[in-house]
């Protein structure tokens, strides 16, 4: 309950999926949390659903640098400081190289890479003062790469190297790590892997290729995020932790 007592946490993309699970887990462990969602309406709805006095919200488009600065500053003001930043906001849109035009490329890169970078940059001064940490959401696909979602894989590959480079530059005051999940059963994966529009079919197909016969839950990824944000991982920085139920072991 008190593992994160008095810790102040900002989770971008905290209104849904992995970010939402992380926000709940941090709050249950004693932290005060601000979740950042993409619109005022969706953020207010998520905060109302949390029904938890220790979770509040800010809204902004992570693909827009001014919004990144503003929402990080709003969270710092609200929490009177910041100890932990989790960059979970992201988009996944399977598309072949022929289908990936400039607009789609820019959208994926702006939200997944530029957003994570500029939210982190806006938080650096405060995190330095508090000897805080950053946890990025990479992806197993950013380590191994897949056809059919090249831009997404490139964006998550960038997160892996952003994690290493930021860790080197921000040490010793700020630790920077990433979690790199395989498929996680969230709206993102259900929409992205749907077969003929049927989400369950897509999840089933993914599940069949996993040694543990299932994909991850958002709570399981949240548990690793909390580990990387906790004192238990105090000698870990620059790491990208692949969490894929053994799907890529030995490949
Ligand atoms: N679900 C998976 O299988 C999986 C696997 C590996 C990595 N990831 C990564 O984990 C992170 C979270 O994924 P998820 O499954 O929870 O997805 P999700 O779609 O359930 O949630 C994504 C969150 O990002 C926010 N977001 C998206 N675009 C935004 C924008 N322009 N501005 C502000 N917020 C925006 C959404 O509001 C939402 O809260 C992402 O970075 C994703 O790439 C997911």
């Amino acid at each position: 309950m008190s593992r994160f007592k008095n810790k102040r946490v900002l989770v971008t993309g905290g209104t849904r999926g992995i970010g939402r699970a992380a926000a709940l887990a941090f709050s249950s462990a004693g932290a005060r949390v601000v979740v950042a969602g993409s619109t005022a309406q969706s953020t207010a709805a998520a905060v109302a659903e949390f029904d938890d006095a220790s979770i509040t919200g800010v809204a902004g488009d992570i693909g827009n640098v001014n919004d990144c600065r503003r929402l990080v500053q709003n969270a710092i003001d609200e929490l009177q400081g910041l100890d932990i930043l989790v960059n979970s906001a992201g988009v996944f849109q399977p598309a072949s190289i022929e289908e990936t035009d400039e607009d789609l490329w820019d959208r994926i890169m702006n939200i997944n890479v530029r957003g994570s970078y500029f939210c982190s940059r806006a938080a650096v001064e405060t995190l330095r003062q508090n000897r805080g940490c950053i946890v990025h959401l990479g992806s197993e696909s950013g380590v191994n790469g897949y056809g059919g979602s090249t831009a997404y894989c490139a964006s998550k590959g960038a997160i892996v190297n952003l994690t290493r480079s930021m860790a080197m530059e921000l040490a010793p005051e700020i630790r920077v790590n990433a979690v790199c999940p395989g498929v996680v059963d969230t709206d993102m994966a259900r929409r992205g892997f749907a077969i003929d529009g049927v989400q369950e079919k897509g999840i089933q197909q993914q599940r069949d290729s996993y040694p543990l016969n299932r994909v991850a839950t958002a709570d399981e990824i949240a548990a690793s995020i909390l580990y990387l944000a906790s004192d238990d991982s105090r000698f870990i920085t620059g790491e990208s932790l692949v969490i894929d139920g053994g799907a890529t072991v030995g490949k």
Side-chain angles (χ1 to χ4, degrees):
M1 169 62 195
S2 58
R3 191 173 168 213
F4 287 94
K5 193 168 183 327
N6 299 325
K7 294 293 181 190
R8 297 153 297 183
V9 185
L10 169 60
V11 184
T12 73
T15 57
R16 285 210 316 259
I18 296 168
R20 179 179 180 280
L24 281 168
F26 275 117
S27 165
S28 300
R32 284 196 298 132
V33 184
V34 171
V35 292
S38 50
T39 66
Q41 202 180 11
S42 63
T43 307
V47 168
E49 201 187 305
F50 281 128
D51 192 21
D52 178 338
S54 57
I55 306 180
T56 53
V58 293
D61 177 3
I62 295 286
N64 176 306
V65 173
N66 286 330
D67 277 18
C68 292
R69 289 193 197 105
R70 180 183 51 74
L71 65 85
V72 170
Q73 192 53 54
N74 287 350
I76 291 171
D77 293 345
E78 166 81 18
L79 297 166
Q80 296 176 307
L82 190 70
D83 302 291
I84 297 162
L85 169 65
V86 179
N87 285 308
S88 191
V91 285
F92 170 57
Q93 187 170 332
S96 68
I97 290 168
E98 289 85 348
E99 288 163 344
T100 305
D101 59 14
E102 284 171 60
D103 286 347
L104 180 56
W105 175 271
D106 286 349
R107 181 172 127 76
I108 291 173
M109 288 295 165
N110 286 349
I111 297 172
N112 292 3
V113 185
R114 208 170 68 152
S116 297
Y117 175 79
F118 280 99
C119 284
S120 303
R121 184 172 184 264
V124 157
E125 188 183 338
T126 307
L127 290 175
R128 261 197 217 282
Q129 288 162 5
N130 298 323
R131 299 191 79 88
C133 69
I134 297 171
V135 182
H136 293 300
L137 263 291
S139 167
E140 174 274 312
S141 69
V143 178
N144 294 300
Y146 290 95
S149 51
T150 294
Y152 179 79
C153 294
S155 75
K156 293 301 180 177
I159 290 294
V160 171
N161 218 18
L162 190 70
T163 299
R164 294 188 192 110
S165 306
M166 287 180 72
M168 292 179 74
E169 184 165 337
L170 299 177
E173 295 92 355
I174 305 174
R175 292 187 304 112
V176 186
N177 290 293
V179 290
C180 291
V183 177
V184 189
D185 194 352
T186 65
D187 289 349
M188 175 182 278
R190 285 189 165 261
R191 275 196 313 271
F193 292 116
I195 297 172
D196 303 328
V198 183
Q199 296 188 348
E200 197 51 43
K201 265 202 223 172
I203 290 290
Q204 182 62 51
Q205 188 184 65
Q206 295 296 323
R207 204 176 278 153
D208 290 346
S209 66
Y210 276 68
L212 296 181
N213 291 325
R214 63 179 184 82
V215 298
T217 66
D219 288 341
E220 287 167 336
I221 307 307
S224 295
I225 293 171
L226 264 70
Y227 167 66
L228 288 174
S230 77
D231 208 38
D232 291 342
S233 65
R234 59 190 170 275
F235 202 57
I236 301 178
T237 195
E239 277 303 321
S240 287
L241 178 61
V242 172
I243 311 164
D244 68 354
T248 56
V249 168
K251 297 224 163 113

